[in-house]
Amino acid sequence: MKIGYARVSTLDQDFETQRVRLEAAGCSPIRAEKVSGKSREGRDELRSILEFIREGDELVVVRLDRLGRSTR
């Protein structure tokens, strides 16, 4: 299963472009949220994906920085 994750940092931003690209990549479901990528705190959609994802599934993001701003 390909699980898509879209994130924008501020309420006035739109993740429609990310959603379209994730759909084109064959992702279903697609989870999205409007929250800072500074930490994983408060990122309920990402937490839900990490609890749900199974071995063999793929987590797909449009750009790596949509997953998080820090590589630590």
Side-chain angles (χ1 to χ4, degrees), residues 9-37:
S9 300
T10 63
L11 295 176
D12 62 327
Q13 292 177 319
D14 182 311
F15 35 71
E16 181 64 18
T17 303
Q18 292 179 60
R19 186 190 61 75
V20 168
R21 290 180 65 188
L22 291 168
E23 284 179 351
C27 296
S28 180
I30 297 172
R31 306 297 295 253
E33 59 192 345
K34 294 185 178 190
V35 65
S36 173

Side-chain angles (χ1 to χ4, degrees), residues 2 5-7 11-13 16 27 31 37 40 42 44-45 47-48 50-51 56-58 61 68 70 72:
K2 287 186 175 183
Y5 177 69
R7 183 188 63 78
L11 295 176
D12 62 327
Q13 292 177 319
E16 181 64 18
C27 296
R31 306 297 295 253
R40 286 198 306 194
D44 297 335
E45 296 296 335
R47 181 181 21 211
S48 175
L50 294 176
E51 290 172 357
D57 289 346
E58 295 178 49
V61 293
S70 174
R72 280 193 262 175

Side-chain angles (χ1 to χ4, degrees), residues 54-69:
R54 300 173 306 234
E55 186 173 334
D57 289 346
E58 295 178 49
L59 175 59
V60 181
V61 293
V62 173
R63 293 189 337 239
L64 191 55
D65 70 340
R66 299 299 82 200
L67 192 55
R69 292 188 345 204

